[in-house]
Amino acid sequence: MLATIGSSTLVGIEGRPITVEVHISGGIPSFSIVGLPDASCRESRDRVRAAVTSSGLRWPQKRVTVNLAPTGLRKGGAGLDLPIAIALLVADGQLAAEVVDDVSFLGELGLDGTIRAVPGVMSLVDAVMTPEVVVPAASAIEAMLVGGRRVRPVLGLRSLVAALNGEDGWPDLPLCQVGAESPPPEDLAEVRGQALGRAALEIAAAGGHHLLLIGPPGAGKTMLAKRLPGILPPLTSAEAIEVTRIHSAAGVSLPAGGLVRRPPFRSPHHSASLVALVGGGGTRMRPGEISCAHRGVLFLDEMGEFHLDVLDTLRQPLEEGQVLVCRARASVTLPARFLLVGAMNPCPCGDSRPGLCRCGEARRARYANRVSGPLLDRFDLRVRVERPDADELLPETSQSPPTPEPSANVALRVARARELAADRGVGCNADIPASSLERLVPLSRDARRALEVRLRQGRLSARGLHRVRRVARTVADLAGRSGPVDVDDVFAALSLRAEVFTAAAEAS
Protein backbone atom coordinates (compact mmCIF):
# COMPACT_ATOMS: atom_id res chain seq x y z
CA MET A 1 0.00 0.00 0.00
CA LEU A 2 1.14 3.58 -0.72
CA ALA A 3 0.68 6.65 1.52
CA THR A 4 1.63 10.28 0.86
CA ILE A 5 2.16 12.96 3.55
CA GLY A 6 3.12 16.63 3.18
CA SER A 7 6.05 18.19 5.03
CA SER A 8 8.99 20.54 4.35
CA THR A 9 12.76 20.79 4.76
CA LEU A 10 15.09 23.67 5.49
CA VAL A 11 17.68 25.12 3.09
CA GLY A 12 19.41 28.17 4.53
CA ILE A 13 16.57 30.11 6.13
CA GLU A 14 13.98 29.09 3.52
CA GLY A 15 11.62 26.15 3.75
CA ARG A 16 11.07 23.86 0.77
CA PRO A 17 7.91 21.72 0.46
CA ILE A 18 8.49 17.98 0.64
CA THR A 19 6.24 15.03 -0.11
CA VAL A 20 6.91 11.90 1.95
CA GLU A 21 5.86 8.72 0.13
CA VAL A 22 5.85 5.37 1.93
CA HIS A 23 5.29 2.10 0.10
CA ILE A 24 4.80 -1.22 1.95
CA SER A 25 5.10 -4.46 0.01
CA GLY A 26 5.78 -8.12 0.59
CA GLY A 27 9.24 -9.54 0.78
CA ILE A 28 12.10 -9.66 3.24
CA PRO A 29 11.47 -7.10 6.03
CA SER A 30 13.55 -3.99 5.37
CA PHE A 31 13.42 -0.19 5.61
CA SER A 32 15.09 2.09 3.07
CA ILE A 33 14.98 5.85 2.43
CA VAL A 34 15.64 7.38 -0.99
CA GLY A 35 15.48 10.92 -2.30
CA LEU A 36 18.87 12.40 -1.31
CA PRO A 37 18.56 12.24 2.50
CA ASP A 38 21.50 13.36 4.64
CA ALA A 39 22.95 11.27 7.47
CA SER A 40 20.52 12.48 10.16
CA CYS A 41 17.61 11.89 7.78
CA ARG A 42 18.76 8.33 6.97
CA GLU A 43 19.01 7.59 10.69
CA SER A 44 15.29 8.32 11.03
CA ARG A 45 14.54 4.65 10.25
CA ASP A 46 15.84 3.66 13.69
CA ARG A 47 14.13 6.55 15.48
CA VAL A 48 10.82 5.90 13.72
CA ARG A 49 10.92 2.16 14.46
CA ALA A 50 11.62 2.73 18.16
CA ALA A 51 9.00 5.50 18.45
CA VAL A 52 6.28 3.40 16.78
CA THR A 53 6.84 0.35 18.96
CA SER A 54 7.25 2.44 22.14
CA SER A 55 3.87 4.07 21.43
CA GLY A 56 2.11 0.70 21.41
CA LEU A 57 1.67 0.68 17.63
CA ARG A 58 2.48 -2.16 15.21
CA TRP A 59 5.63 -2.17 13.14
CA PRO A 60 5.02 -3.81 9.74
CA GLN A 61 7.19 -6.86 9.14
CA LYS A 62 7.40 -6.14 5.41
CA ARG A 63 9.48 -4.26 2.91
CA VAL A 64 9.16 -0.49 3.57
CA THR A 65 10.40 2.05 1.04
CA VAL A 66 10.38 5.79 1.84
CA ASN A 67 10.76 8.34 -0.96
CA LEU A 68 11.37 12.01 -0.24
CA ALA A 69 10.19 14.06 -3.22
CA PRO A 70 11.37 16.02 -5.08
CA THR A 71 14.27 13.65 -5.36
CA GLY A 72 16.65 16.27 -6.78
CA LEU A 73 16.59 18.36 -3.57
CA ARG A 74 18.83 17.29 -0.69
CA LYS A 75 16.96 16.86 2.59
CA GLY A 76 18.52 17.41 5.97
CA GLY A 77 17.66 17.27 9.65
CA ALA A 78 15.38 15.11 11.75
CA GLY A 79 12.21 17.10 11.04
CA LEU A 80 10.95 14.43 8.62
CA ASP A 81 10.72 11.76 11.34
CA LEU A 82 7.09 12.50 12.14
CA PRO A 83 5.75 12.60 8.55
CA ILE A 84 7.59 9.33 7.81
CA ALA A 85 5.99 7.69 10.84
CA ILE A 86 2.49 8.94 9.96
CA ALA A 87 2.86 7.88 6.32
CA LEU A 88 4.01 4.44 7.47
CA LEU A 89 0.97 4.04 9.75
CA VAL A 90 -1.37 5.10 6.93
CA ALA A 91 0.27 2.71 4.48
CA ASP A 92 -0.03 -0.12 7.05
CA GLY A 93 -3.72 0.60 7.62
CA GLN A 94 -3.36 1.72 11.23
CA LEU A 95 -4.55 5.20 10.24
CA ALA A 96 -7.22 6.03 7.69
CA ALA A 97 -5.99 8.09 4.74
CA GLU A 98 -8.91 10.49 5.14
CA VAL A 99 -7.76 11.75 8.56
CA VAL A 100 -4.48 13.09 7.16
CA ASP A 101 -5.89 14.75 4.04
CA ASP A 102 -4.80 18.40 3.83
CA VAL A 103 -2.56 17.98 6.89
CA SER A 104 1.24 18.35 6.97
CA PHE A 105 3.53 17.11 9.73
CA LEU A 106 6.81 18.40 11.19
CA GLY A 107 8.84 17.07 14.08
CA GLU A 108 11.64 14.89 15.37
CA LEU A 109 10.79 11.63 17.13
CA GLY A 110 12.36 10.45 20.35
CA LEU A 111 12.84 6.74 20.95
CA ASP A 112 9.97 6.83 23.47
CA GLY A 113 7.58 8.40 20.95
CA THR A 114 7.87 12.00 22.13
CA ILE A 115 7.83 14.68 19.43
CA ARG A 116 10.67 17.17 19.74
CA ALA A 117 11.19 20.65 18.33
CA VAL A 118 13.23 21.20 15.17
CA PRO A 119 15.06 24.31 13.95
CA GLY A 120 13.43 26.69 11.49
CA VAL A 121 9.79 25.96 12.31
CA MET A 122 8.63 29.37 11.01
CA SER A 123 10.12 28.74 7.58
CA LEU A 124 9.00 25.11 7.56
CA VAL A 125 5.40 25.96 8.39
CA ASP A 126 5.40 28.73 5.80
CA ALA A 127 6.53 26.24 3.14
CA VAL A 128 3.92 23.50 3.63
CA MET A 129 1.18 23.29 1.01
CA THR A 130 -1.74 22.37 3.31
CA PRO A 131 -4.06 24.55 5.45
CA GLU A 132 -3.34 22.50 8.59
CA VAL A 133 0.01 21.55 10.09
CA VAL A 134 0.99 19.40 13.07
CA VAL A 135 4.05 20.64 14.96
CA PRO A 136 5.80 19.79 18.25
CA ALA A 137 4.15 21.49 21.22
CA ALA A 138 7.44 23.23 22.02
CA SER A 139 7.32 24.96 18.62
CA ALA A 140 3.64 25.90 18.58
CA ILE A 141 4.10 29.58 19.55
CA GLU A 142 6.71 30.01 16.84
CA ALA A 143 4.51 28.23 14.27
CA MET A 144 1.56 30.49 15.04
CA LEU A 145 3.61 33.56 14.12
CA VAL A 146 3.38 32.55 10.45
CA GLY A 147 -0.39 32.86 10.11
CA GLY A 148 -2.57 31.36 7.39
CA ARG A 149 -2.25 27.81 8.79
CA ARG A 150 -4.17 25.94 11.47
CA VAL A 151 -1.51 24.80 13.94
CA ARG A 152 -1.95 21.53 15.84
CA PRO A 153 0.55 21.09 18.72
CA VAL A 154 1.34 17.54 19.86
CA LEU A 155 3.51 16.02 22.58
CA GLY A 156 3.84 12.40 21.47
CA LEU A 157 3.10 9.96 18.69
CA ARG A 158 0.54 7.98 20.72
CA SER A 159 -1.56 11.08 21.54
CA LEU A 160 -1.28 12.25 17.93
CA VAL A 161 -2.67 8.96 16.58
CA ALA A 162 -5.49 9.10 19.14
CA ALA A 163 -6.39 12.65 18.07
CA LEU A 164 -6.32 11.72 14.37
CA ASN A 165 -8.57 8.70 15.01
CA GLY A 166 -11.00 10.81 17.02
CA GLU A 167 -10.31 8.84 20.21
CA ASP A 168 -9.04 11.92 22.01
CA GLY A 169 -9.09 15.71 21.52
CA TRP A 170 -6.28 17.88 20.25
CA PRO A 171 -4.15 19.61 22.89
CA ASP A 172 -4.92 23.28 23.48
CA LEU A 173 -2.75 25.84 21.78
CA PRO A 174 -0.35 27.60 24.17
CA LEU A 175 -1.05 31.22 24.99
CA CYS A 176 1.22 33.63 23.14
CA GLN A 177 3.02 35.79 25.67
CA VAL A 178 2.52 39.10 23.91
CA GLY A 179 5.39 41.44 24.59
CA ALA A 180 7.37 38.80 26.50
CA GLU A 181 10.98 39.59 25.90
CA SER A 182 14.47 38.87 27.12
CA PRO A 183 15.96 41.03 29.91
CA PRO A 184 16.55 44.68 28.96
CA PRO A 185 19.96 45.57 27.49
CA GLU A 186 22.66 47.15 29.61
CA ASP A 187 22.44 50.91 30.17
CA LEU A 188 24.85 53.65 29.13
CA ALA A 189 24.38 55.26 32.54
CA GLU A 190 26.78 52.62 33.87
CA VAL A 191 29.64 53.95 31.71
CA ARG A 192 31.88 56.44 33.50
CA GLY A 193 33.78 58.93 31.38
CA GLN A 194 34.45 57.96 27.74
CA ALA A 195 32.82 61.08 26.28
CA LEU A 196 34.31 60.39 22.85
CA GLY A 197 33.31 56.73 22.91
CA ARG A 198 29.74 57.59 23.93
CA ALA A 199 29.48 60.17 21.15
CA ALA A 200 30.78 57.67 18.58
CA LEU A 201 28.29 55.08 19.85
CA GLU A 202 25.39 57.52 19.44
CA ILE A 203 26.46 58.48 15.91
CA ALA A 204 26.90 54.82 14.96
CA ALA A 205 23.40 53.99 16.21
CA ALA A 206 21.76 57.04 14.63
CA GLY A 207 23.29 56.58 11.20
CA GLY A 208 24.00 52.83 11.06
CA HIS A 209 27.73 53.51 10.75
CA HIS A 210 30.29 50.77 11.39
CA LEU A 211 32.52 51.49 14.40
CA LEU A 212 36.06 50.47 15.30
CA LEU A 213 37.19 51.02 18.90
CA ILE A 214 40.94 50.89 19.58
CA GLY A 215 42.38 51.21 23.05
CA PRO A 216 44.26 49.43 25.85
CA PRO A 217 42.70 46.52 27.75
CA GLY A 218 40.21 47.62 30.39
CA ALA A 219 39.51 50.98 28.77
CA GLY A 220 35.82 50.15 28.23
CA LYS A 221 35.60 49.05 24.58
CA THR A 222 33.50 45.96 25.29
CA MET A 223 31.41 47.83 27.85
CA LEU A 224 30.51 50.45 25.24
CA ALA A 225 29.76 47.91 22.52
CA LYS A 226 27.40 45.88 24.72
CA ARG A 227 25.29 48.99 25.32
CA LEU A 228 24.77 49.74 21.65
CA PRO A 229 21.59 47.60 21.27
CA GLY A 230 19.99 49.60 24.08
CA ILE A 231 20.00 52.81 22.03
CA LEU A 232 18.98 51.26 18.71
CA PRO A 233 15.31 51.56 17.66
CA PRO A 234 13.20 48.43 18.23
CA LEU A 235 12.59 46.20 15.24
CA THR A 236 9.56 46.82 13.07
CA SER A 237 7.03 44.02 12.65
CA ALA A 238 8.51 42.95 9.31
CA GLU A 239 12.08 43.09 10.68
CA ALA A 240 11.07 41.11 13.78
CA ILE A 241 9.60 38.33 11.63
CA GLU A 242 12.70 38.30 9.43
CA VAL A 243 15.13 38.15 12.36
CA THR A 244 13.07 35.48 14.12
CA ARG A 245 13.13 33.29 11.00
CA ILE A 246 16.91 33.56 10.86
CA HIS A 247 17.40 32.77 14.55
CA SER A 248 14.99 29.85 14.33
CA ALA A 249 16.83 28.39 11.32
CA ALA A 250 20.18 28.84 13.08
CA GLY A 251 18.97 27.17 16.27
CA VAL A 252 19.33 30.34 18.36
CA SER A 253 17.09 30.47 21.44
CA LEU A 254 14.02 32.65 20.93
CA PRO A 255 12.39 34.84 23.61
CA ALA A 256 9.36 33.62 25.54
CA GLY A 257 6.97 35.43 23.20
CA GLY A 258 8.50 33.70 20.18
CA LEU A 259 9.24 36.95 18.34
CA VAL A 260 12.58 38.77 18.47
CA ARG A 261 11.64 42.42 18.99
CA ARG A 262 15.01 43.96 19.90
CA PRO A 263 18.04 44.28 17.62
CA PRO A 264 20.18 41.17 18.18
CA PHE A 265 23.72 41.37 19.57
CA ARG A 266 26.16 38.69 18.45
CA SER A 267 29.74 38.41 19.67
CA PRO A 268 31.53 35.37 18.22
CA HIS A 269 34.85 34.25 19.67
CA HIS A 270 37.95 35.20 17.70
CA SER A 271 38.61 31.51 16.96
CA ALA A 272 35.37 31.30 14.93
CA SER A 273 35.83 29.64 11.54
CA LEU A 274 34.83 31.12 8.20
CA VAL A 275 31.76 28.84 7.98
CA ALA A 276 30.70 29.75 11.53
CA LEU A 277 30.83 33.44 10.68
CA VAL A 278 29.47 33.45 7.12
CA GLY A 279 27.27 30.35 7.13
CA GLY A 280 26.97 27.16 5.11
CA GLY A 281 28.25 23.72 6.00
CA GLY A 282 26.24 20.55 5.55
CA THR A 283 22.99 20.10 3.67
CA ARG A 284 20.96 22.72 5.54
CA MET A 285 23.36 25.62 4.77
CA ARG A 286 22.97 26.97 8.30
CA PRO A 287 23.07 30.79 8.75
CA GLY A 288 26.30 32.12 10.24
CA GLU A 289 26.93 34.77 12.87
CA ILE A 290 26.69 37.64 10.40
CA SER A 291 23.17 36.52 9.50
CA CYS A 292 22.23 36.02 13.16
CA ALA A 293 23.29 39.66 13.67
CA HIS A 294 20.94 40.82 10.87
CA ARG A 295 19.20 44.10 11.82
CA GLY A 296 21.39 44.23 14.92
CA VAL A 297 25.02 44.40 16.06
CA LEU A 298 27.95 42.12 15.22
CA PHE A 299 30.68 42.73 17.80
CA LEU A 300 34.15 41.39 17.03
CA ASP A 301 36.11 41.63 20.26
CA GLU A 302 39.87 41.17 19.91
CA MET A 303 39.41 41.76 16.20
CA GLY A 304 43.14 41.50 15.57
CA GLU A 305 43.07 37.87 16.67
CA PHE A 306 40.56 36.74 14.01
CA HIS A 307 41.94 34.87 11.00
CA LEU A 308 42.69 37.17 8.08
CA ASP A 309 40.54 35.25 5.59
CA VAL A 310 37.61 35.29 8.04
CA LEU A 311 37.78 39.07 8.42
CA ASP A 312 38.05 39.68 4.68
CA THR A 313 34.85 37.73 4.02
CA LEU A 314 33.00 40.57 5.77
CA ARG A 315 33.73 43.02 2.97
CA GLN A 316 30.93 41.92 0.62
CA PRO A 317 28.19 41.65 3.29
CA LEU A 318 29.11 45.09 4.64
CA GLU A 319 28.45 46.58 1.20
CA GLU A 320 25.48 44.52 0.02
CA GLY A 321 23.65 43.57 3.23
CA GLN A 322 23.57 39.90 2.24
CA VAL A 323 25.93 37.02 1.57
CA LEU A 324 25.77 34.46 -1.23
CA VAL A 325 27.01 31.12 0.10
CA CYS A 326 27.97 28.83 -2.78
CA ARG A 327 28.69 25.15 -2.30
CA ALA A 328 28.93 22.25 -4.72
CA ARG A 329 25.48 20.95 -3.77
CA ALA A 330 23.57 24.19 -3.21
CA SER A 331 23.73 27.98 -3.19
CA VAL A 332 21.72 30.17 -0.84
CA THR A 333 21.47 33.90 -0.23
CA LEU A 334 21.43 34.81 3.45
CA PRO A 335 20.52 38.28 4.79
CA ALA A 336 23.38 40.01 6.60
CA ARG A 337 22.58 43.70 7.15
CA PHE A 338 24.26 44.38 10.47
CA LEU A 339 26.10 47.12 12.33
CA LEU A 340 29.71 46.04 12.73
CA VAL A 341 31.59 47.04 15.88
CA GLY A 342 35.22 45.99 16.22
CA ALA A 343 37.49 46.27 19.25
CA MET A 344 41.28 46.05 19.14
CA ASN A 345 44.27 46.83 21.26
CA PRO A 346 46.66 49.50 19.93
CA CYS A 347 49.47 46.93 19.83
CA PRO A 348 50.02 43.26 20.74
CA CYS A 349 51.05 43.98 24.34
CA GLY A 350 48.01 46.24 24.76
CA ASP A 351 49.75 49.22 26.36
CA SER A 352 51.15 51.71 23.85
CA ARG A 353 52.13 54.35 26.41
CA PRO A 354 55.73 55.60 26.06
CA GLY A 355 58.13 53.51 28.10
CA LEU A 356 55.59 50.77 28.77
CA CYS A 357 55.07 49.28 25.29
CA ARG A 358 57.15 46.13 24.77
CA CYS A 359 56.43 45.90 21.04
CA GLY A 360 58.88 46.83 18.34
CA GLU A 361 57.93 48.79 15.25
CA ALA A 362 57.77 45.67 13.07
CA ARG A 363 55.56 43.85 15.57
CA ARG A 364 53.16 46.80 15.78
CA ALA A 365 53.00 46.98 11.98
CA ARG A 366 52.17 43.27 11.71
CA TYR A 367 49.42 43.66 14.28
CA ALA A 368 47.93 46.67 12.48
CA ASN A 369 47.97 44.73 9.21
CA ARG A 370 45.71 42.08 10.74
CA VAL A 371 42.90 44.29 9.46
CA SER A 372 43.28 44.84 5.73
CA GLY A 373 43.06 48.30 4.22
CA PRO A 374 39.81 47.62 2.31
CA LEU A 375 38.12 46.35 5.48
CA LEU A 376 39.46 49.23 7.56
CA ASP A 377 38.11 51.66 4.94
CA ARG A 378 34.60 50.30 5.55
CA PHE A 379 34.60 51.52 9.14
CA ASP A 380 32.89 54.90 9.08
CA LEU A 381 34.03 55.62 12.64
CA ARG A 382 37.49 54.79 13.99
CA VAL A 383 37.87 55.97 17.57
CA ARG A 384 40.70 55.85 20.06
CA VAL A 385 39.39 54.82 23.51
CA GLU A 386 41.61 55.82 26.45
CA ARG A 387 41.43 54.67 30.02
CA PRO A 388 39.06 56.89 32.06
CA ASP A 389 40.50 59.17 34.71
CA ALA A 390 40.65 58.01 38.32
CA ASP A 391 38.31 60.87 39.34
CA GLU A 392 35.68 59.51 36.96
CA LEU A 393 35.94 55.99 38.32
CA LEU A 394 36.36 56.87 42.03
CA PRO A 395 34.82 60.32 42.51
CA GLU A 396 34.97 62.13 45.83
CA THR A 397 31.58 62.40 47.52
CA SER A 398 31.72 66.19 47.55
CA GLN A 399 32.86 66.40 43.96
CA SER A 400 30.78 63.68 42.35
CA PRO A 401 30.55 64.11 38.58
CA PRO A 402 27.09 64.36 37.03
CA THR A 403 25.29 61.06 36.49
CA PRO A 404 26.03 59.76 32.97
CA GLU A 405 23.18 60.08 30.50
CA PRO A 406 21.04 56.91 30.40
CA SER A 407 20.36 54.92 27.26
CA ALA A 408 16.71 56.01 27.17
CA ASN A 409 17.66 59.65 26.55
CA VAL A 410 20.19 58.76 23.86
CA ALA A 411 17.68 56.41 22.22
CA LEU A 412 15.24 59.31 21.76
CA ARG A 413 17.83 61.30 19.79
CA VAL A 414 18.73 58.22 17.77
CA ALA A 415 15.05 57.63 16.96
CA ARG A 416 14.64 61.24 15.75
CA ALA A 417 17.70 60.89 13.51
CA ARG A 418 16.31 57.64 12.08
CA GLU A 419 13.01 59.41 11.36
CA LEU A 420 14.86 62.06 9.36
CA ALA A 421 16.61 59.29 7.41
CA ALA A 422 13.24 57.65 6.74
CA ASP A 423 12.00 60.95 5.29
CA ARG A 424 14.89 60.69 2.81
CA GLY A 425 13.71 57.22 1.80
CA VAL A 426 16.38 55.17 3.60
CA GLY A 427 16.45 53.23 6.84
CA CYS A 428 19.51 55.11 8.09
CA ASN A 429 22.05 57.53 6.65
CA ALA A 430 24.59 54.76 6.04
CA ASP A 431 22.18 53.36 3.42
CA ILE A 432 22.12 56.54 1.32
CA PRO A 433 23.26 55.43 -2.17
CA ALA A 434 26.27 57.21 -3.66
CA SER A 435 24.14 58.39 -6.57
CA SER A 436 21.89 60.32 -4.17
CA LEU A 437 24.55 62.00 -2.03
CA GLU A 438 24.51 65.30 -3.94
CA ARG A 439 20.75 65.52 -3.49
CA LEU A 440 20.38 64.20 0.05
CA VAL A 441 23.71 65.34 1.55
CA PRO A 442 24.56 68.68 -0.08
CA LEU A 443 27.80 70.32 1.06
CA SER A 444 28.49 73.93 1.94
CA ARG A 445 31.34 75.64 0.08
CA ASP A 446 33.77 75.32 3.01
CA ALA A 447 32.82 71.68 3.59
CA ARG A 448 33.41 70.85 -0.06
CA ARG A 449 36.79 72.57 0.01
CA ALA A 450 37.88 70.66 3.14
CA LEU A 451 37.05 67.32 1.55
CA GLU A 452 38.73 68.28 -1.73
CA VAL A 453 42.00 68.98 0.09
CA ARG A 454 42.03 65.53 1.67
CA LEU A 455 41.19 63.85 -1.62
CA ARG A 456 44.07 65.59 -3.39
CA GLN A 457 46.43 64.63 -0.57
CA GLY A 458 45.42 60.98 -0.93
CA ARG A 459 44.20 60.85 2.67
CA LEU A 460 40.68 59.91 1.59
CA SER A 461 39.46 57.34 -0.93
CA ALA A 462 36.30 57.64 -3.02
CA ARG A 463 34.57 55.17 -0.72
CA GLY A 464 35.87 57.08 2.29
CA LEU A 465 34.52 60.34 0.85
CA HIS A 466 31.04 58.88 0.60
CA ARG A 467 31.22 57.52 4.13
CA VAL A 468 32.43 60.83 5.56
CA ARG A 469 29.52 62.64 3.92
CA ARG A 470 27.04 60.19 5.39
CA VAL A 471 28.56 60.52 8.87
CA ALA A 472 28.52 64.31 8.56
CA ARG A 473 24.81 64.11 7.70
CA THR A 474 24.23 62.06 10.85
CA VAL A 475 26.16 64.55 12.98
CA ALA A 476 24.02 67.37 11.60
CA ASP A 477 20.80 65.38 12.18
CA LEU A 478 21.69 64.73 15.81
CA ALA A 479 22.41 68.43 16.28
CA GLY A 480 19.09 69.36 14.67
CA ARG A 481 20.69 71.15 11.70
CA SER A 482 18.95 70.88 8.34
CA GLY A 483 20.10 72.07 4.94
CA PRO A 484 23.61 71.60 3.51
CA VAL A 485 26.21 69.88 5.65
CA ASP A 486 28.54 72.46 7.20
CA VAL A 487 32.31 72.33 7.51
CA ASP A 488 32.01 71.70 11.27
CA ASP A 489 29.99 68.55 10.56
CA VAL A 490 32.61 67.40 8.06
CA PHE A 491 35.46 68.04 10.52
CA ALA A 492 33.56 66.09 13.19
CA ALA A 493 33.16 63.18 10.77
CA LEU A 494 36.84 63.32 9.82
CA SER A 495 37.94 63.45 13.46
CA LEU A 496 35.97 60.24 14.10
CA ARG A 497 37.78 58.58 11.19
CA ALA A 498 41.26 59.00 12.63
CA GLU A 499 44.30 56.95 11.68
CA VAL A 500 44.22 55.20 15.04
CA PHE A 501 47.14 52.86 14.41
CA THR A 502 49.36 55.69 13.26
CA ALA A 503 48.45 57.64 16.39
CA ALA A 504 49.26 54.65 18.57
CA ALA A 505 52.63 54.19 16.91
CA GLU A 506 53.52 57.85 17.34
CA ALA A 507 52.52 57.72 21.00
CA SER A 508 54.92 54.83 21.51
Side-chain angles (χ1 to χ4, degrees):
M1 185 176 178
L2 177 68
T4 301
I5 294 293
S7 187
S8 58
T9 191
L10 197 64
V11 179
I13 64 169
E14 299 296 330
R16 305 288 176 84
I18 295 295
T19 300
V20 177
E21 301 172 334
V22 172
H23 182 263
I24 297 180
S25 61
I28 299 175
S30 63
F31 188 102
S32 59
I33 301 178
V34 297
L36 294 182
D38 71 350
S40 62
C41 198
R42 285 194 298 270
E43 291 171 353
S44 66
R45 62 182 181 182
D46 299 315
R47 292 191 297 270
V48 170
R49 185 195 303 268
V52 167
T53 56
S54 298
S55 301
L57 302 168
R58 185 179 67 255
W59 182 262
Q61 297 299 319
K62 299 179 181 180
R63 179 181 179 86
V64 179
T65 303
V66 179
N67 180 44
L68 306 177
T71 55
L73 175 67
R74 289 195 171 272
K75 294 85 180 176
L80 296 176
D81 287 1
L82 183 57
I84 290 174
I86 295 299
L88 183 142
L89 295 176
V90 172
D92 194 43
Q94 300 181 60
L95 275 175
E98 296 78 14
V99 301
V100 295
D101 284 344
D102 296 326
V103 183
S104 294
F105 297 83
L106 301 167
E108 175 186 344
L109 287 175
L111 300 184
D112 59 351
T114 57
I115 300 176
R116 299 169 179 166
V118 293
V121 164
M122 282 188 69
S123 299
L124 294 174
V125 170
D126 193 36
V128 298
M129 308 298 290
T130 59
E132 189 172 338
V133 58
V134 174
V135 300
S139 303
I141 291 178
E142 182 184 343
M144 288 188 293
L145 296 174
V146 177
R149 307 284 194 289
R150 186 174 187 179
V151 177
R152 297 289 198 183
V154 289
L155 291 170
L157 183 59
R158 176 69 261 179
S159 60
L160 171 58
V161 171
L164 289 172
N165 284 329
E167 301 169 2
D168 199 357
W170 290 96
D172 294 331
L173 287 170
L175 296 176
C176 287
Q177 303 179 38
V178 179
E181 191 53 85
S182 54
E186 297 174 88
D187 201 292
L188 269 174
E190 301 164 358
V191 179
R192 296 286 179 177
Q194 300 298 356
L196 180 60
R198 291 172 63 99
L201 211 67
E202 182 175 345
I203 293 171
H209 305 293
H210 305 303
L211 171 64
L212 177 62
L213 300 170
I214 296 187
K221 304 184 296 294
T222 302
M223 191 176 189
L224 285 167
K226 286 184 176 180
R227 281 148 182 80
L228 182 55
I231 62 176
L232 288 172
L235 301 177
T236 64
S237 297
E239 291 172 345
I241 291 291
E242 184 182 24
V243 172
T244 303
R245 284 167 62 98
I246 296 171
H247 284 202
S248 175
V252 178
S253 298
L254 299 179
L259 198 63
V260 180
R261 301 179 185 276
R262 292 199 186 105
F265 180 86
R266 305 294 297 178
S267 180
H269 191 260
H270 60 258
S271 62
S273 66
L274 189 149
V275 172
L277 199 67
V278 174
T283 304
R284 284 205 302 117
M285 302 291 278
R286 181 183 181 275
E289 286 296 322
I290 63 174
S291 294
C292 293
H294 184 63
R295 304 294 181 185
V297 178
L298 178 67
F299 177 47
L300 301 184
D301 201 3
E302 301 296 342
M303 190 171 172
E305 302 300 329
F306 279 80
H307 294 289
L308 295 178
D309 57 339
V310 172
L311 288 178
D312 280 337
T313 57
L314 297 175
R315 287 155 58 176
Q316 181 209 9
L318 288 175
E319 292 293 330
E320 300 180 4
Q322 62 182 20
V323 57
L324 176 62
V325 181
C326 299
R327 299 291 184 266
R329 297 175 178 176
S331 296
V332 296
T333 300
L334 302 172
R337 188 169 298 281
F338 54 89
L339 179 56
L340 177 62
V341 179
M344 293 182 65
N345 296 327
C347 60
C349 74
D351 198 336
S352 61
R353 289 177 293 178
L356 296 177
C357 181
R358 304 186 301 273
C359 306
E361 187 65 32
R363 192 180 179 197
R364 283 196 300 270
R366 283 196 302 271
Y367 183 76
N369 289 335
R370 297 288 296 179
V371 181
S372 65
L375 178 59
L376 190 63
D377 200 39
R378 285 168 169 81
F379 282 101
D380 302 344
L381 309 172
R382 304 198 286 259
V383 178
R384 175 84 172 172
V385 178
E386 302 293 350
R387 290 190 175 96
D389 294 333
D391 292 339
E392 294 172 329
L393 296 177
L394 296 172
E396 295 290 341
T397 305
S398 59
Q399 299 177 349
S400 296
T403 303
E405 192 175 21
S407 293
N409 294 356
V410 180
L412 290 176
R413 294 196 297 269
V414 169
R416 286 195 293 268
R418 291 288 184 114
E419 289 172 2
L420 293 174
D423 293 339
R424 301 183 186 108
V426 293
C428 56
N429 289 334
D431 295 335
I432 297 176
S435 58
S436 302
L437 283 173
E438 286 298 329
R439 178 173 58 88
L440 299 178
V441 192
L443 298 171
S444 67
R445 181 178 302 177
D446 291 340
R448 188 175 295 274
R449 185 179 300 113
L451 290 173
E452 182 182 354
V453 168
R454 281 161 177 77
L455 282 171
R456 293 188 183 278
Q457 292 174 344
R459 296 164 58 188
L460 202 61
S461 67
R463 182 192 293 116
L465 170 66
H466 297 160
R467 293 184 178 275
V468 167
R469 292 183 69 167
R470 296 181 183 113
V471 173
R473 180 71 272 169
T474 301
V475 172
D477 288 347
L478 288 171
R481 292 190 292 270
S482 58
V485 170
D486 200 0
V487 65
D488 292 337
D489 303 322
V490 169
F491 281 147
L494 290 170
S495 67
L496 292 169
R497 192 181 170 83
E499 296 295 333
V500 285
F501 288 112
T502 301
E506 291 174 353
S508 300

